C-alpha cells in the first residue's frame, strides 16, 4: 500500500512511551522504536542496527537514554548516531540509523515518517486541542482492527449506520431520517447532522437522566491522511 509519508501520524499514547522502556511500532510500513531522551521528549529511530540489522526493539535502554543493540553492543543516541562500538574507539560517521521526527502534543505521540526537513510541528492537526484544555477531560484506549484504516475513516465520517448497527444504544430512526451536510476545505472534510426536538436514543436518555425531547447533533471532521474527530452531543 502506498502511504502519504510527509505528514504527522499518531504513533502512541504518551504513557506507552515510557522513560525506562523501548516501544516498537510500525507506522506506514516503517518499523520504528520509541523511547524518551534525557529531557523526557519522545524519540523515534528505525528498528534496526546499522551493523547486522538486529532489531533495536530487542535491545536495551541504557541509563543515559541511549539504545544498545544486544547483538554486538553498538549504542545509539536519540539522533540515531552511534556513540559506542565495543572493542574499538573509532566510530565511522556512517554508523547511524534513521531518526524520525517525534512530538508529544494534544494527548498523543506523533511521528513524521517522511522527509525530516519538512516536519513542522505546526502542521500537527489541531482538532484535538481540547485535550490540552483545563476545562476538558479525556479518556482513551486502543482498539486493534484487522482492516484497512480507510474503512475506519468511512465509519466515523458517515454515522448513518447508527440507525441499524447501534439500535438500542446510540441509534434510532431519526438518524437516517436527517441527512448529513458535507463541507470542506483544502485541509479537511466536515460532516454535520442536526436532529432537533426528538425523543432521545437510549444512551443519551440515560446520560442526560431526564425524560423529554432533545436536540442532537453530530459534527465529524476528517483531516487526511488518518485523523478524525467527532463531537456527538445531545441537549435538552
Amino acid at each position: 500500500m502506498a502511504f502519504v509519508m510527509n505528514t504527522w501520524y499518531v504513533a502512541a499514547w504518551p504513557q506507552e512511551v515510557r522513560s525506562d522502556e523501548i516501544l516498537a511500532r510500525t507506522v506506514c510500513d516503517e518499523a520504528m522504536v520509541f523511547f524518551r531522551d534525557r529531557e523526557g521528549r519522545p524519540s523515534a529511530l528505525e528498528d534496526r542496527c546499522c551493523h547486522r540489522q538486529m532489531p533495536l526493539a530487542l535491545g536495551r535502554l541504557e541509563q543515559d537514554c541511549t539504545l544498545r543493540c544486544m547483538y554486538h553492543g553498538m549504542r545509539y543516541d536519540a539522533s540515531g548516531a552511534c556513540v559506542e562500538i565495543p572493542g574499538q574507539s573509532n566510530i565511522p560517521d556512517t554508523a547511524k540509523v534513521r531518526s524520525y521526527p517525534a512530538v508529544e502534543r494534544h494527548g498523543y505521540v506523533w511521528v513524521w515518517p517522511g522527509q525530516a526537513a519538512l516536519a513542522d510541528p505546526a502542521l500537527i492537526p489541531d482538532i484535538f486541542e481540547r485535550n490540552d484544555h483545563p476545562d476538558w477531560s479525556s479518556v482513551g484506549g486502543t482498539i486493534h482492527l484487522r482492516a484497512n484504516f480507510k474503512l475506519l475513516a468511512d465509519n466515523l465520517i458517515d454515522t448513518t449506520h447508527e440507525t441499524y448497527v447501534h439500535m438500542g444504544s446510540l441509534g434510532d430512526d431519526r438518524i437516517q431520517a436527517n441527512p448529513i451536510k458535507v463541507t470542506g476545505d483544502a485541509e479537511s472534510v466536515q460532516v454535520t447532522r442536526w436532529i432537533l426536538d426528538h425523543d432521545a436514543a437510549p444512551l443519551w436518555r440515560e446520560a442526560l437522566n431526564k425524560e423529554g425531547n432533545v436536540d442532537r447533533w453530530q459534527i465529524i471532521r476528517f483531516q487526511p491522511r488518518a485523523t478524525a474527530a467527532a463531537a456527538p452531543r445531545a441537549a435538552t
Side-chain angles (χ1 to χ4, degrees):
M1 179 185 297
F3 294 99
V4 175
M5 304 299 280
N6 287 322
T7 191
W8 292 101
Y9 289 88
V10 171
W13 298 101
Q15 62 269 23
E16 292 182 296
V17 184
R18 297 168 54 88
S19 60
D20 56 351
E21 292 182 1
I22 303 169
L23 175 69
R25 281 282 151 84
T26 299
V27 180
C28 296
D29 283 342
E30 299 278 327
M32 307 178 186
V33 286
F34 293 82
F35 61 102
R36 299 277 180 178
D37 66 13
R38 292 182 179 182
E39 284 71 44
R41 297 170 299 198
S43 301
L45 302 180
E46 62 177 312
D47 190 10
R48 69 172 188 90
C49 178
C50 69
H51 183 218
R52 296 298 185 193
Q53 320 306 310
M54 181 76 170
L56 293 177
L58 300 177
R60 183 174 68 201
L61 186 61
E62 304 282 287
Q63 291 185 351
D64 61 351
C65 299
T66 56
L67 290 185
R68 187 180 296 278
C69 173
M70 297 304 285
Y71 191 8
H72 295 101
M74 294 178 68
R75 189 161 57 89
Y76 301 90
D77 65 14
S79 74
C82 180
V83 295
E84 180 188 358
I85 302 178
Q88 68 182 63
S89 58
N90 177 51
I91 301 177
D93 292 338
T94 55
K96 57 186 176 181
V97 298
R98 182 181 177 185
S99 173
Y100 298 89
V103 176
E104 184 174 338
R105 184 167 295 183
H106 306 330
Y108 304 100
V109 173
W110 303 78
V111 69
W112 182 283
Q115 297 172 262
L118 302 179
D120 182 358
L123 298 176
I124 292 177
D126 61 3
I127 59 179
F128 298 106
E129 277 187 327
R130 62 178 180 271
N131 290 343
D132 301 327
H133 198 286
D135 294 338
W136 287 79
S137 61
S138 61
V139 296
T142 302
I143 300 175
H144 297 279
L145 301 175
R146 291 181 178 271
N148 190 302
F149 76 95
K150 297 176 184 177
L151 297 176
L152 181 59
D154 176 76
N155 175 273
L156 295 174
I157 293 172
D158 184 0
T159 57
T160 304
H161 69 276
E162 287 185 359
T163 293
Y164 311 101
V165 178
H166 302 292
M167 180 65 75
S169 59
L170 286 170
D172 58 30
D173 291 334
R174 288 299 189 99
I175 295 173
Q176 56 84 23
N178 287 268
I180 58 175
K181 178 182 179 181
V182 181
T183 57
D185 53 33
E187 299 294 330
S188 64
V189 174
Q190 182 162 295
V191 176
T192 305
R193 172 185 276 116
W194 286 87
I195 312 170
L196 303 179
D197 192 24
H198 77 107
D199 185 37
L203 183 144
W204 288 115
R205 192 182 309 117
E206 181 178 347
L208 294 170
N209 194 28
K210 60 177 63 178
E211 298 296 329
N213 285 6
V214 300
D215 292 339
R216 180 178 177 183
W217 61 96
Q218 298 173 335
I219 303 173
I220 303 98
R221 178 180 165 196
F222 174 68
Q223 187 162 336
R225 291 302 167 195
T227 307
R233 293 288 186 274
T236 54

